[in-house]
């Protein structure tokens, strides 16, 4: 899911193959020509919900369409970048990561969960997780 998250967050139009959103796998010929999974019970529901949320955010947050980003951290374990007034965090390690930033003192909005958090300037990103935050107005 991290790869798809990065595809959507990076500057340009994301490209997703038909069926990726429900867990349809590809492979070598003839596996790469399998039909779409139409039966809801056979679809990967967690992945489907992930894409539903990601597509919603992509269409609602202007920052997703921005061609410009600024990297704030490019450590091996934590990638942080800003697009407009939205901050994108990706923890690629098996340990929680913290990121200190004065701008995150007070209320911040977690766009993925739509929750408002009260922050002391330090954000905790759980292992192998991503977050999309912005400062509340």
């Amino acid at each position: 899911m991290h790869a798809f998250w990065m595809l959507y967050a990076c500057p340009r139009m994301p490209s997703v193959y038909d069926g990726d959103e429900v867990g349809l796998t590809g492979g070598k010929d003839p596996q790469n020509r399998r039909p779409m999974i139409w039966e809801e019970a056979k679809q990967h529901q967690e992945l489907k919900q992930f894409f539903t949320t990601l597509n919603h955010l992509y269409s609602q947050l202007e920052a997703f369409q921005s061609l410009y980003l600024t990297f704030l951290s490019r450590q091996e374990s934590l990638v942080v970048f800003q697009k407009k007034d939205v901050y994108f965090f990706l923890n690629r390690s098996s340990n929680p990561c913290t990121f200190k930033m004065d701008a995150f003192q007070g209320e911040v909005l977690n766009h993925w969960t739509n929750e408002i958090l009260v922050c002391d300037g330090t954000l905790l990103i759980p292992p192998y997780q991503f977050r999309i935050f912005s400062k509340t107005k």
Side-chain angles (χ1 to χ4, degrees), residues 4 7-8 11 31-32 38 47 50 59 65 83 102 104 106 112 126 131:
F4 288 118
L7 277 174
Y8 276 71
Q31 297 300 320
N32 61 347
W38 294 109
L47 193 55
F50 168 82
S59 69
Q65 285 87 31
K83 293 177 77 177
D102 290 338
F104 282 115
W112 193 261
R131 296 291 185 265

Side-chain angles (χ1 to χ4, degrees), residues 47-59:
L47 193 55
K48 188 175 179 181
Q49 183 57 50
F50 168 82
F51 274 102
T52 298
T53 303
L54 195 56
N55 285 325
H56 174 75
L57 289 175
Y58 188 85
S59 69

Side-chain angles (χ1 to χ4, degrees):
M1 287 194 255
H2 292 145
F4 288 118
W5 181 84
M6 284 297 290
L7 277 174
Y8 276 71
C10 287
R12 58 162 196 59
M13 177 66 81
S15 178
V16 178
Y17 285 100
D18 188 36
D20 281 348
E21 74 280 8
V22 294
L24 183 65
T25 57
K28 295 186 184 230
D29 197 23
Q31 297 300 320
N32 61 347
R33 291 182 276 134
R34 277 192 239 155
M36 177 66 168
I37 303 170
W38 294 109
E39 296 174 52
E40 290 258 341
K42 293 182 179 179
Q43 294 177 349
H44 190 293
Q45 294 303 312
E46 181 183 356
L47 193 55
K48 188 175 179 181
Q49 183 57 50
F50 168 82
F51 274 102
T52 298
T53 303
L54 195 56
N55 285 325
H56 174 75
L57 289 175
Y58 188 85
S59 69
Q60 297 299 312
L61 285 175
E62 190 178 313
F64 270 101
Q65 285 87 31
S66 175
L67 296 176
Y68 304 101
L69 64 86
T70 303
F71 280 98
L72 304 175
S73 173
R74 286 186 276 191
Q75 304 166 6
E76 187 170 324
S77 58
L78 183 65
V79 175
V80 182
F81 57 92
Q82 178 182 358
K83 293 177 77 177
K84 296 197 175 240
D85 61 344
V86 179
Y87 298 84
F88 297 79
F89 298 80
L90 174 61
N91 181 353
R92 303 180 307 170
S93 78
S94 59
N95 298 311
C97 288
T98 57
F99 188 78
K100 288 182 106 21
M101 190 167 156
D102 290 338
F104 282 115
Q105 298 216 3
E107 291 185 345
V108 295
L109 173 63
N110 179 337
H111 288 280
W112 193 261
T113 62
N114 206 31
E115 294 175 294
I116 294 178
L117 310 170
V118 177
C119 186
D120 64 358
T122 301
L123 295 168
L124 176 69
I125 312 300
Y128 301 117
Q129 296 291 313
F130 60 86
R131 296 291 185 265
I132 304 170
F133 289 117
S134 65
K135 186 84 171 120
T136 60
K137 305 286 185 235

